[in-house]
């Protein structure tokens, strides 16, 4: 281990690149909502178009991001949305720092299932886990069936952050992961009188709403 200029102890390295803090982020939600694509967009800046290959079980990728002078390693777990893998993925919830819960704006059922996903989070995740609701595939306009204000209301009901994303165009993808990294850094470096960091406020001030999406 070595020290950074800001006195924070580095906690490790991957591929020779050091990081100060590390956290586990999980992508959850129904099969086909775009979890793998969101991860690939963030990690590699690319979109996996074409044939849909469903995730089997669980997998992870690492990415180190720079946040306010700290290097944060995000260990991002991509879970299978299919019901038959649920018992496998539940075991990974407990030590997750953040859960990105996705639905597909062109799939009403994936949105209707969010309440059940929130119940699973309450049952299996830690109490202080950061949860963000993401309405993915916001690039789709004519086949959209879930309005933005419905997502906003659902997130409000559960007291969690919300935004629409697109793994295809990259809309708000970076923001979702950076907000999680900022939250981790704030928790690790916060002094007793510092104001607490709000993921919800952070994304609300920065998120871009898709131009073709009505709010009413
Ligand atoms: P499981 O692994 O079964 O849980 O599915 P998943 O949630 O990981 O879905 P995946 O990322 O594999 O995407 C499913 C399909 O949706 C693929 O055909 C993607 O190309 C498509 N898709 C994902 N994200 C987007 C998006 O933002 N916009 C559009 N238009 N299509 C998307």
């Amino acid at each position: 281990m070595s020290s950074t200029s800001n006195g924070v102890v580095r906690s490790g390295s991957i591929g020779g690149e050091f990081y100060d803090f590390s956290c586990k982020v999980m992508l959850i939600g129904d099969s086909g909502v775009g979890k793998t694509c969101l991860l690939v967009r963030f990690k590699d800046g690319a979109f996996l178009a074409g044939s849909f290959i469903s995730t089997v079980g669980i997998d992870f990728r690492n990415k180190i991001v720079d946040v306010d002078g700290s290097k944060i390693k995000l260990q991002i777990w991509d879970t299978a949305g299919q019901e038959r893998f649920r018992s496998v993925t539940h075991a990974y919830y407990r030590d997750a720092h953040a859960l990105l819960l996705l639905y597909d704006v062109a799939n009403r059922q994936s949105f209707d299932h969010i309440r059940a996903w929130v119940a699973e989070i309450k049952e299996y995740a830690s109490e202080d886990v950061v949860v963000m609701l993401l309405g993915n595939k916001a690039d789709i306009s004519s086949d959209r069936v879930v309005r933005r204000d419905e997502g906003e209301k659902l997130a409000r009901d559960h007291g969690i952050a919300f935004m629409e994303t697109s793994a295809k165009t990259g809309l708000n993808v970076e923001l979702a992961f950076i907000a999680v990294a900022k939250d981790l850094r704030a928790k690790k470096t916060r002094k007793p009188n510092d104001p607490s960091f709000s993921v919800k406020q952070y994304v609300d001030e920065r998120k871009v709403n898709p131009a073709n999406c009505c709010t009413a």
Side-chain angles (χ1 to χ4, degrees):
M1 289 205 287
S2 59
S3 284
T4 63
S5 54
N6 61 7
V8 179
V9 176
R10 296 195 193 279
S11 64
S13 73
I14 42 171
E17 192 179 359
F18 286 99
Y19 55 84
D20 301 308
F21 308 111
S22 149
C23 75
K24 181 171 155 184
V25 184
M26 278 180 77
L27 299 169
I28 57 173
D30 278 10
S31 179
V33 296
K35 299 180 293 297
T36 301
C37 287
L38 198 86
L39 170 54
V40 170
R41 164 61 67 188
F42 176 64
K43 175 83 173 68
D44 305 323
F47 177 59
L48 292 177
S51 55
F52 162 37
I53 302 166
S54 211
T55 303
V56 174
I58 189 159
D59 194 12
F60 78 91
R61 308 275 296 272
N62 287 319
K63 180 160 175 164
I64 295 178
V65 292
D66 278 300
V67 169
D68 303 331
S70 297
K71 285 190 179 290
I72 315 281
K73 183 185 88 173
L74 299 174
Q75 185 181 73
I76 309 161
W77 290 78
D78 177 22
T79 65
Q82 287 177 31
E83 191 84 43
R84 63 197 169 104
F85 296 115
R86 290 294 153 78
S87 57
V88 178
T89 54
H90 286 160
Y92 291 82
Y93 278 49
R94 203 167 333 112
D95 59 343
H97 172 76
L99 299 172
L100 301 185
L101 172 55
L102 279 75
Y103 66 88
D104 170 355
V105 300
N107 178 341
R108 169 66 58 180
Q109 202 181 43
S110 71
F111 180 72
D112 292 341
H113 287 164
I114 291 298
R115 285 183 195 280
W117 280 106
V118 171
E120 291 207 1
I121 292 170
K122 288 205 172 106
E123 187 170 352
Y124 297 103
S126 77
E127 244 173 57
D128 59 350
V129 70
V130 173
V131 183
M132 204 183 299
L133 180 64
L134 302 178
N136 191 41
K137 308 197 188 179
D139 56 280
I140 292 176
S141 51
S142 56
D143 290 333
R144 173 190 278 267
V145 293
V146 184
R147 297 189 317 266
R148 190 172 73 230
D149 65 309
E150 294 179 274
E152 282 166 347
K153 180 173 183 315
L154 186 61
R156 221 172 21 249
D157 289 350
H158 292 293
I160 56 180
F162 168 75
M163 59 188 166
E164 290 192 334
T165 55
S166 168
K168 186 172 181 177
T169 66
L171 179 85
N172 292 329
V173 175
E174 182 99 2
L175 177 58
F177 289 98
I178 295 298
V180 165
K182 284 224 170 217
D183 181 79
L184 178 84
R185 186 186 186 279
K187 281 178 179 147
K188 296 283 186 191
T189 60
R190 192 168 163 230
K191 299 190 180 73
N193 292 328
D194 285 353
S196 60
F197 176 78
S198 163
V199 167
K200 186 177 178 315
Q201 186 182 346
Y202 184 79
V203 301
D204 281 350
E205 287 170 358
R206 290 165 180 80
K207 67 187 176 190
V208 175
N209 288 322
N212 54 9
C213 172
C214 49
T215 55

